[in-house]
Amino acid sequence: MFGKMIKFIALSLISISMIVLLSCEDRGTNVPAVSSLDGGGPWPTADHIFSPELRWLLSNNIEQLPGWVYIPRVAAPPPSGISRPVPLLILLAPQGANKFYFAQHGLQELLREMIADGTIQPMVVACPSNDPTFGGFMYAGGYNFSHPVKVIDSITPPTGNNDAIFSKQLVNWINSLGFTLQGQQKTGIGGFGMGAYGAFRAALLSDAVYGSISVTDGPLDFDGDPGLGFGNGLIDLFDDALIEQGLLNGNLQDFDSSTAWPVSNLFIGAAFAFSPDDTVLFEHNSSFIPPPVWKMDSTYGFVDSLSPTLITGFNAPSGFRFDYLLPFDASGTVYSPVWDNYWLTENLKSLIDSSTNKLSGVNLWFATTTESKLNYYQQTQSWISTLKNPPYAYSVTEKKYLGVPGSPASGDQYVYDLLREMLIFHSNSFGN
Amino acid sequence: MRILYRVVTLLSCLILFSTSLLAGGFENINIGLKATAMGSAYRALADDWTAAYYNPAAYALINDNQLGGNAAFGHYRQTLVPNFRRSSSTDSFESGFFNDREMYNAHKILSNPSGGIVLRLPVWGETVFGFSIYQPFDYNTNWTLFRPLAAYNTANAIPNDQYGTDLDVVSFQLSAGREFKEEKLYLGIGLQLLRADLVWSELKFRDNPMPAPFDDRPYDLVPQWAHSEGHGWGFGIKGGLLWTLTDKINLGISGNIPFDITINGDSSMLNFYLPKVGNNGGFQIGTIEHLFASGSRINGLADFETKLKLPTSFGIGLSFDITSKLTMAIDAQYMLWSQFEGFQFSYSNLRELSKLVDTSILIDGADTTSIRDWVYSSTSHPVVWENSGRVMLGARYNPSNLLSLFAGGYADQSPARNATQFTPNFVDTGDKYNYSGGFIFHINEWDIGLATSYTSYPDLAVTEIDSDGDGIDDTIPGLYQADYYETVLSFIYRF
C-alpha cells in the first residue's frame, strides 16, 4: 500500500514537473528581424538641362527638367557598387506633382526593401517632375500637333518639347550615365493620373523604346465611350471647370489660371500643349516665330493668358503672348473647331492609330478604381477596352481596387500600395 | 435533506445556464494551494487562512491558530496571429503589424506571493480573526506586434511593450468569523484595503493631421505609444456564510463588493512616431510641417488619472464528505463584470512639449488641429464586458495522516466573449477549462505542499470592428490562442 502511494506520488511529481517545465519554456516573442535593405540610394538632384527642348518652356529660363533618380547598389560604381547595368523605369507624376512625388510616397524605401529581399530585380527608377506652372502639360508638346511627326528636336513650343524628351531623350540621357541596360525590354514607363497619359503618349510616339507600361487611372480617353457605358471622358468635365470658377455662361476671358481650380488647370495645361492660340514658338537658332496655323479664332474660345488672374512666375517677354484655346465654350459645350482638330487628335485612340509600333509586344498593367476623380476611371476603362479588342486585342493586366472606409481612392491615397505592384510588374517584364 | 435538494438544484441550474454566465477577466481565481488544486471549489470547505478570500465565515471552523504563505508562479502563454490590415471590400493594405505570423506575449514567470495569519481570540464569545494579504485581481501580459512600415519611418524604434497590462490589486484584509448557531451556522466578514497598481501600454493609431499628400498611405496613421504607470487605493467588503447542513455536508455562500479605485500617476508618456516623408516633404526646418514629415518623435509627459471599476461577485458552494477520506466540493460564482468599463485616461499637468509642438496648428483644408490638443487628447480603452459565472468542482483525498491529495477544475467563461474592442491588453478568449492537482504533506505542525493548474482557453478569431466609423479598427484583429499555467508552493504552520 505504501509502495503504491510512493509510486503515485512520484508519478504526480513527475507530471507536475513536466507541466511546470512546459509552462516555463521561453518561446521568445517571435518578432521578425529588421529586413536588410538595398544599399543603393536616391540622386535627388538628377536635374538635367534639355536644350533646346525646354528653351521656351513657361517659367523655366534655365531649360531644366528636375528629376529624382534611385540607383541600386549594384549599379553604383565601386566601392559601394559594382557598376552592373540594370533596367530602367521612368515614373511620371500626376497633375501638379514634382519630382519628389513618388519619393514622398515611399518609393525609395520600397525599392530598398524589395530589391534586398529579391521581390524585384535591381532597377534604376527615374522620376522627372511634372511642370509646376499649370500642374503639367499632359507631358505633351511638339511642333506639329495635327500631324504624325511629333518630334522635331530643334523646335520648342511653350510647353517644352515634351514629346521629344519623354519619348526618347530622357531615356537616352539616363542610359548615357552608364547605370542602365539598353533596349526595349529593359526599359519601362509608368504614370499616375496625368502621368498615365504621359506614359502611353511617350510610348506611342517613340519607336519601341518602352517594353512595359504601368499606369493608374488617368485621362486616357478624352471623349470616352458612352456606347459602352464609359461616359464622355473630359467632355463631362467642361462645365465642372466653369462651375468651379463661377463662370458657367460667363465671360471666358475671366477664366482663371490659379492653381486653386484643379479642373480648370487640367484644361489650361492641356490647352497650352494641344491648342495654344497666338503663342509664339521659339526656334533656337533663329528667331521667335508665330505659328499661323494655331491662330484659330481670336474671339471665340480664346483666352488671353496675360489676364490679371494669370498665376505668377510667367516670365513672359514683353510683346509676346501666351494665349490658348479651350475646347469648350462658355456654356461648357464642346467647341468643335478646337476639340475635334486639336484635342481629339492627341487622344490615345488617335495616337495609337498613327503610331508605328502600336504598342505591339509591350506589357501593359493598369490599376483602376471606381473611386478615382475626374472621370478617370471611365476613361481608363474605355482605353483598356480599345486595347483589349480588335484590331489590337492585347493582353492587359488589370488591378481593380477600392479604398478603405473613410479614405476613398480618389486621389493619391494608395500610391504607396500601387507602387509595390507596379515595381513587381516591371521587374517581371524586364526579364532575366 | 430538503435544503440539500434545493442547493443541489440551484447549483445544477447554475451549471446548466453557465453559458449565459461569465467570469474570468482578470480575477485571480486561485488563492492558496488547496483552492488551486481543487479548481477553486472551496467556499464550503475553506479550512485555512485563504478562507479570507473564499468565505470568511469558514474562519469559524479553524481550530488552530495558523500562519500560512503561498508562492504562486503563473505564466500566461498566449499566441496571436495578427491580421491587422486596412481593408476595403476588395483590398487589404499592410499596416506594419506582423501579420500572418505567430507572435507570442513576452515570456514572464509571474510571482504572486500571498499570506495570512489566523488567530482564535476570546472576543465576542470566541471569534476567529485573520489578517491576510493576497491579490484578488491580477493580470500581466505584454506584446510586441508592430513595426512601422519601412516607408513610414525607420529612424525611431517603438518600445517593445506595445500592448502591455500589468495590473495588480492587492487586498490587505482583516477578517473575522464566528459561530452563530452551534455547529450549524457560521458567519464571517472581511474588510479590505485595496491597493491597485497599473502599468499600461498601448499603441493607438491617430489620424495624421497633415494635408495631402503627407497623410497618404503609409503616412495616414501616426502610431501613438501611450505608457502609464500609477496606483491607487480603495476599499472592499467580503462577507460569507457557512451552514452545516448535515455532518457530512456544508453549504457556503460568500460575496465581495470592491469599490471603485482611482488610479493616478505622474509619468504618463505619450510618444508619437512621425513619418519620414521623402525630402522631408520639402518643408522648411523649424516648421511644424517639417516636424511631421521628417521622421521625428513627439514626446509628451503628463499626469494621468483613470478609474478601475472592480466587479462585485457572489457565489455558493457545497462540500460533501463522501467517505472519511474523500471529500467533494462544488461551487458556482457569479461576477458582475459589466461594472468594469475598461480604462479612460485623462491627462493633466501637461509638460515637456517643445514650443513648436505646444503652439502650432496644422491646417488641412477646412480642418485645423492644435498639435498640443492632438498630443494630449485623452486616450481610452473602453470595454463592454458582460456579467459572468463559473462552475468549479474539486476533490480532496486523505490517504493517510501524512498526505492529502487534491484534484479539481472549473468551467469558466469570458466576460469579453462579445467584446467589440478586443485587444491584446486583455486576452480572454472565451469559455475556459481548468484542470488542477496537488498534494500536501502534513508534518507535525507544518503543512507543506505543491499544486499546479492548467487553464485552457479556446481559440478566438477576432475580426475587424470599427465601431466609431473612423476608419481605424477598434480591435486588433487576428487569431488569439491562450493557456495559463500556475504552480503554487505553500506552507502553513499551526500553533
Side-chain angles (χ1 to χ4, degrees), chain A residues 1-2 5 8-9 12-13 15-16 19-20 22-35 37 44 100-101 103-107 109-110 113 399-407 412-417 420-421, chain B residues 75 77-79 86-91 93-94 98 101-107 109 144 147 149-151 213-214 216-219 276-279 281-282 399-400 402-403 405 437-439 441 450 452-454 471 485 487:
Chain A
M1 178 68 184
F2 189 72
M5 184 186 299
F8 178 81
I9 294 170
S12 299
L13 283 172
S15 302
I16 290 167
I19 291 173
V20 171
L22 279 173
S23 69
C24 290
E25 180 207 358
D26 185 355
R27 304 173 295 174
T29 56
N30 206 26
V31 171
V34 176
S35 305
L37 300 174
F100 294 113
Y101 174 80
Q104 289 172 350
H105 286 87
L107 176 61
E109 291 78 10
L110 276 174
E113 181 182 300
K399 173 189 170 53
K400 292 194 173 182
Y401 70 103
L402 292 171
V404 303
S407 184
D412 309 320
Q413 292 88 342
Y414 300 93
V415 171
Y416 167 79
D417 305 282
R420 178 180 287 274
E421 300 194 36
Chain B
H75 176 45
R77 198 171 179 82
Q78 300 163 341
T79 302
R86 304 208 69 197
S87 298
S88 66
S89 56
T90 58
D91 298 270
F93 304 103
E94 284 299 335
F98 302 130
R101 183 181 178 92
E102 275 200 351
M103 303 305 301
Y104 309 128
N105 64 320
H107 181 81
I109 303 296
T144 306
R147 180 184 296 143
L149 296 170
F214 306 105
D216 291 339
R217 275 187 46 80
Y219 317 123
K276 175 78 173 76
V277 181
N279 191 40
S400 72
L402 183 66
L403 178 67
L405 302 172
F439 59 84
F441 287 110
L450 181 147
T452 193
S453 77
Y454 164 68
Y485 298 86
T487 296

Side-chain angles (χ1 to χ4, degrees), chain B residues 428-495:
Chain B
D428 197 343
T429 57
D431 297 353
K432 298 179 285 290
Y433 296 94
N434 169 272
Y435 312 94
S436 307
F439 59 84
I440 289 179
F441 287 110
H442 308 287
I443 305 169
N444 299 324
E445 295 84 8
W446 293 87
D447 290 349
I448 297 172
L450 181 147
T452 193
S453 77
Y454 164 68
T455 306
S456 171
Y457 289 61
D459 294 354
L460 177 66
V462 173
T463 55
E464 303 170 15
I465 295 177
D466 176 17
S467 54
D468 55 6
D470 64 355
I472 305 170
D473 287 343
D474 303 321
T475 56
I476 306 298
L479 178 65
Y480 289 76
Q481 299 171 309
D483 296 293
Y484 180 67
Y485 298 86
E486 185 172 14
T487 296
V488 181
L489 303 173
S490 165
F491 82 89
I492 290 177
Y493 176 68
R494 303 174 191 285
F495 59 97

Side-chain angles (χ1 to χ4, degrees), chain B residues 342-362:
Chain B
F343 294 108
Q344 170 92 29
F345 293 92
S346 57
Y347 302 109
S348 59
N349 190 21
L350 319 175
R351 56 197 184 275
E352 293 199 3
L353 282 187
S354 68
K355 186 178 178 185
L356 178 66
V357 174
D358 208 21
T359 58
S360 294
I361 289 174
L362 270 174

